[in-house]
Amino acid sequence: MRIKRVLQGTALAALAAAAWMGAGSTDVSAAVDVDDIWVGEGEIGITSNDAEIMVSIVQVKNNQFQIKNWDVYEGGEAIVDLSKLNNAKDNYVAVLTDDNKPFFLKIAKTDKPGKATYNYKTGTLTFGTLTDLDKAEYRTVNSGWNGASDLDVSRYNYQGASLYMRIRETLKRPVLNTAEKLDDKSTKNTTEDYAVYDIGSLASKEVKFNVAKQANGPSLSGDYVKNTIKSKDGLPARVVYNGSFYDFGGENGAQIAVSGGAVTSKSSKTADLEAITKGFKPGDKIVLEVRTDATDKKPASKWSRLEIVVPSQIAASAIASTVTNGAIVTSGDAIKVSAAFTEKSGKNGAKSYPDVVIKNDASKGNVDVKIGETGKVSTLKPSKTVKYKKTGTDGNKLYVRVGGDKADKKWAGAWTEIGQVTFPKDVAAATPTPAPSTAAK
């Protein structure tokens, strides 16, 4: 069993004198070989064949030392705890055995750790003035120490985290320091050099490093009736489909139209569903995702997600090619729409057609209609109608689609052109026949 006791006062002086007088400074056969010393994890381990190993933590000033007491270890082994040392300055550990003079293990001061910072935009981690992160290490509240050069900060962004960083210890096997010799301050008339071995540095103090938590994703919503996506303008956006990501404007993707008519890659504000789902097939299940960008001090937000089932389009072959007065322009399970022109009678047989009425003749389901590619969209419930004036609509094309359903989160279908709206020509009033003359003959 290893026994440690403290040797002080007269016994200390007698032991030191006996050891130092019986050995020279260069020709002694050391009872402790430096190869029998191991260091690491805040400890020094020493083994010896002698009955006792004596160790003292000493202060050195101007290359002079004074030993006031020894920690005495019995049993041929000493484990020296270094946790109480001030790592901001040089520390010396004197080692002595029964038949030899002391030698010293030097623990060099540790560099002062600086502040840990992270640029979330560039993904750059800095730690004080260190240029090599291999010299630093980090831990979480519950983990052991890991190399800072392997730190992936992004893995902690989801919930945020408190990390701790420090300059790692560099304790190593003793290496003779040929440039440094020490003198015993207590011997006024005798000068004798004592060997110094470098064994590296302790770890620095820990520095707390707070990793910012990702903000929730931005607002992202869909208008199932208008077939539009609403979100903040200019956000990074992507589509997830069948286990892969697609950027807008890339393969199998489409750009999102920004409010105002411009088209900007990877951005959205009020985007048309048809533009987003371009390149995908009806029935495909895709997910639109948007988030805010990272800044220097904040990570990118979480992704906001909107699931979309690509709607089907009405088959053009099932639709009449023209729109005539009172004609059924579409018929089938999905849509049944009729169009009729309002006739206005005037004097002397004059007739005009000021507007056209579109009606949803289906027994269930909404229908969207518009005249002109950029015309106003009207949603018609069963048996409901909408009236369009002749001015601005005559000669334009009529488009229809299956209406969306907000309650069922069902998007409106794709637009289908079903014909041209051509108003009947107005009938001019007949010229009245002059009345017979009644003048006297």
Side-chain angles (χ1 to χ4, degrees), residues 59 125 191 210 349 418 421:
Q59 301 296 317
L125 174 66
T191 300
N210 291 318
I418 64 171
V421 179

Side-chain angles (χ1 to χ4, degrees), residues 233-309:
D233 193 14
L235 297 180
R238 67 187 184 187
V239 163
V240 185
Y241 170 67
N242 200 24
S244 298
F245 296 114
Y246 296 92
D247 286 336
F248 293 98
E251 180 185 359
N252 204 34
Q255 294 177 325
I256 300 181
V258 179
S259 177
V263 176
T264 304
S265 177
K266 299 184 181 179
S267 64
S268 62
K269 188 171 184 180
T270 304
D272 187 86
L273 180 73
E274 189 172 354
I276 296 172
T277 58
K278 184 179 180 180
F280 297 99
K281 302 184 298 297
D284 282 346
K285 295 181 179 180
I286 67 174
V287 177
L288 174 65
E289 295 185 333
V290 298
R291 71 178 184 184
T292 57
D293 267 325
T295 65
D296 291 349
K297 297 184 178 181
K298 293 182 180 180
S301 75
K302 297 176 182 178
W303 288 100
S304 294
R305 308 174 78 252
L306 181 65
E307 295 183 358
I308 299 172
V309 177

Side-chain angles (χ1 to χ4, degrees), residues 300-345:
S301 75
K302 297 176 182 178
W303 288 100
S304 294
R305 308 174 78 252
L306 181 65
E307 295 183 358
I308 299 172
V309 177
V310 181
S312 301
Q313 185 175 16
I314 304 166
S317 59
I319 301 170
S321 59
T322 59
V323 178
T324 57
N325 192 21
I328 301 296
V329 294
T330 65
S331 61
D333 295 334
I335 291 180
K336 188 175 183 181
V337 177
S338 62
F341 297 99
T342 301
E343 182 179 279
K344 186 176 181 181
S345 299

Side-chain angles (χ1 to χ4, degrees), residues 177-239:
N177 184 338
T178 58
E180 185 174 9
K181 300 292 184 181
L182 301 183
D183 292 327
D184 185 2
K185 185 178 179 180
S186 63
T187 57
K188 297 180 180 181
N189 299 322
T190 303
T191 300
E192 188 172 7
D193 293 332
Y194 296 86
V196 177
Y197 292 85
D198 292 326
I199 62 170
S201 301
L202 295 169
S204 73
K205 294 182 179 179
E206 297 180 13
V207 173
K208 190 174 183 180
F209 169 40
N210 291 318
V211 178
K213 180 182 178 180
Q214 278 185 309
N216 291 331
S219 174
L220 175 65
S221 61
D223 190 320
Y224 296 92
V225 175
K226 295 181 179 179
N227 267 27
T228 55
I229 310 297
K230 187 176 181 181
S231 188
K232 185 179 179 181
D233 193 14
L235 297 180
R238 67 187 184 187
V239 163

